[in-house]
Amino acid sequence: MGLLPEFGNLFFTLGAFIVALSIIVAVHEYGHYIVGRWSGIHAEVFSLGFGPVLFSRVDKRGTRWQFALLPFGGYVKFLGDANAASSAADDAVMAGLDKGEQRHTMHGAPLWARAATIFAGPAFNFIFSIIIFSAFIALKGLPAEEPRVGALLPMPGQVELMSGDLITAIDGEPVEDLRSYYAVADALEPAQNVSYSVERAGQPMEVTGPHPLPARAAGIALQSAARDAGMQTGDVVLSVDEAPVYAFTQLPPMVNAADGETVALRIWRMGEELDVDLTPRRTDLPLPDGGFETRWLIGLQSGTFFEHPMRSVSVVESVPMAVEEIGNIISRSISGLYHMVTGAISTCNLSGPVGIATTSGEMAADGLDSFIWFIAVLSTAVGLLNLFPIPILDGGHLVFHAYEAVVGRPPSEKILGAFMTVGLVLLGMLMLFALGNDLLC
């Protein structure tokens, strides 16, 4: 009976991983399928999963849609393919087709149709991510420009500010908008009580409250020391190793000074004070210039002691922001891989299936919105990975198509087979390396 919670967590994590992976694979493979269909290439099988078929049906176009037993991937098999990777033609099938019928195969279609069909998989992953990111931004909105107090969040001590107050100054420093609010807050010395100039119902007044950026956990990072120790969003750090804490800016130097040794936190949680011991983790953080900074972290995310009123966002504004988010994910991923290869940061930053599954479970446990956002992030990563110029991946196929466009003919079957074998070995080694990181790092 004591093992049941562990098994429950395992099944929840595995289930979240399968759901996330199945959605991303379905989007990726549908991109191949639909663009292939638009390009005149007939799909014989669209499969989610591998192995024995659990359910299937054939549509009016002759494509078999099926669910297979092993839900860890999927594929589209086009007419004339010898395998699900479309890496070789089935000579017996191709020989039985006339020239018009061969046009509807992956290997008899014009170069533009084959290249478009291959590229569509990663492209649909990116489009899927853009739709989710832009929908989140449009539905949730963005913080309004003015530094107005929304709903107050639970905090220890007395807070004289009220919902609806417009903050005009903090400790005498003028505040004009939300950006200047954070600029003043970052430069403000830690203090238990801070003076605020506000406008309340049109009347100016002076009130006191906590530091504008208190040591409150606005969020808990995934796979962090704080999450493992059971800390929750909304926890307020009162002290670190008995040294009082009033502002979030005090935490990073205190944690770094411990140099990986355990730190004792006194926290406030909904009126109750608790003691938590955390062991900071060495983490490589991306910098705005593309580099990395290695620091000791416990996994708390900063925020204010009140919610910001939100403004509505149109699709015209949200879509470019979603595209920018995808660009940030891609640039950070490529930068991280480069710095791992050059030895600038630890190779433990590369997660494998176990790490991704664990993250899937944690995000699903945080709520449906967090899980959907994670699926969009993972979809971008899968799209990027598939564009790597490794034979057997979509990027490798596109390299072969580029060669054909320049030379005027595709590589020979012997060369293609050799490259596919090399690509399979490289991909297998990468997966084993990532899996080793999951188990050993």
Side-chain angles (χ1 to χ4, degrees):
M1 293 296 293
L3 291 175
L4 285 179
E6 282 74 15
F7 280 117
N9 290 336
L10 174 63
F11 287 129
F12 180 80
T13 296
L14 187 60
F17 176 57
I18 290 174
V19 169
L21 184 64
S22 297
I23 292 173
I24 292 168
V25 168
V27 169
H28 182 93
E29 297 302 331
Y30 187 77
H32 290 314
Y33 161 78
I34 193 63
V35 173
R37 197 181 89 187
W38 293 339
S39 302
I41 302 173
H42 174 65
E44 291 187 316
V45 180
F46 186 110
S47 179
L48 280 181
F50 299 96
V53 177
L54 301 177
F55 169 80
S56 70
R57 75 171 185 87
V58 179
D59 66 15
K60 63 182 180 181
R61 293 184 176 83
T63 300
R64 179 177 297 279
W65 299 77
Q66 66 183 36
F67 290 95
L69 180 63
L70 303 176
F72 299 107
Y75 61 90
V76 175
K77 183 178 181 297
F78 293 102
L79 177 64
D81 287 349
N83 52 56
S86 300
S87 58
D90 187 326
D91 294 333
V93 172
M94 294 295 289
L97 302 175
D98 60 34
K99 196 165 185 178
E101 292 170 329
Q102 287 184 7
R103 167 60 181 83
H104 299 296
T105 69
M106 178 64 82
H107 307 278
L111 179 60
W112 68 265
R114 286 178 279 140
T117 301
I118 292 297
F119 180 72
F124 267 56
N125 282 129
F126 297 142
I127 293 171
F128 176 70
S129 299
I130 290 173
I131 292 173
I132 291 181
F133 288 148
S134 61
F136 263 78
I137 296 169
L139 291 174
K140 289 193 171 186
L142 293 173
E145 297 291 333
E146 60 180 10
R148 189 175 295 277
V149 178
L152 290 168
L153 301 171
M155 288 287 295
Q158 185 177 5
V159 180
E160 296 181 353
L161 284 92
M162 295 179 61
S163 179
D165 286 349
L166 178 65
I167 300 174
T168 57
I170 303 174
D171 262 5
E173 290 292 328
V175 174
E176 299 175 354
D177 52 25
L178 200 58
R179 186 183 297 273
S180 64
Y181 172 92
Y182 282 99
V184 171
D186 283 333
L188 193 66
E189 289 293 324
Q192 186 172 9
N193 294 301
V194 174
S195 172
Y196 291 86
S197 301
V198 302
E199 286 185 10
R200 180 178 297 171
Q203 298 297 318
M205 57 191 313
E206 296 291 324
V207 296
T208 60
H211 192 280
L213 291 178
R216 178 185 180 276
I220 310 294
L222 299 174
Q223 301 183 35
S224 63
R227 184 176 287 261
D228 290 348
M231 290 192 67
Q232 302 174 9
T233 298
D235 287 351
V236 180
V237 179
L238 302 178
S239 66
V240 175
D241 291 334
E242 300 185 354
V245 174
Y246 304 118
F248 199 94
T249 53
Q250 294 174 267
L251 293 178
M254 286 179 165
V255 172
N256 272 319
D259 198 27
E261 296 295 323
T262 301
V263 293
L265 270 61
R266 184 78 171 170
I267 66 172
W268 180 92
R269 178 184 296 167
M270 300 302 291
E272 183 180 4
E273 293 189 9
L274 306 170
D275 292 313
V276 177
D277 291 335
L278 300 178
T279 302
R281 296 179 180 172
R282 197 176 185 89
T283 308
D284 297 309
L285 297 175
L287 297 173
D289 62 1
F292 280 82
E293 177 186 19
T294 302
R295 286 168 45 192
W296 293 100
L297 300 179
I298 57 176
L300 301 183
Q301 298 164 357
S302 68
T304 60
F305 59 92
F306 58 88
E307 294 180 354
H308 294 298
M310 307 297 285
R311 65 175 178 86
S312 60
V313 178
S314 67
V315 175
V316 175
E317 187 179 2
S318 66
V319 170
M321 295 178 70
V323 173
E324 183 181 1
E325 178 67 19
I326 288 178
N328 291 335
I329 294 171
I330 291 174
S331 63
R332 288 196 301 265
S333 299
I334 293 175
S335 176
L337 288 172
Y338 170 79
H339 284 83
M340 278 188 277
V341 171
T342 58
I345 62 174
S346 171
T347 55
C348 285
N349 286 284
L350 181 66
S351 293
V354 176
I356 297 172
T358 301
T359 304
S360 300
E362 291 183 354
M363 294 297 279
D366 281 352
L368 183 60
D369 55 346
S370 297
F371 185 54
I372 293 175
W373 184 274
F374 170 71
I375 290 175
V377 173
L378 192 59
S379 179
T380 301
V382 168
L384 173 63
L385 175 64
N386 271 276
L387 286 178
F388 285 178
I390 299 176
I392 211 171
L393 294 180
D394 294 332
H397 286 282
L398 292 174
V399 169
F400 295 144
H401 291 331
Y403 172 88
E404 182 178 349
V406 173
V407 177
R409 65 179 185 279
S412 67
E413 291 292 335
K414 185 175 181 180
I415 292 176
L416 279 175
F419 274 112
M420 287 295 175
T421 301
V422 171
L424 187 61
V425 170
L426 288 174
L427 198 59
M429 290 174 62
L430 179 63
M431 290 296 295
L432 287 175
F433 181 76
L435 181 60
N437 281 352
D438 291 339
L439 301 176
L440 300 176
C441 286

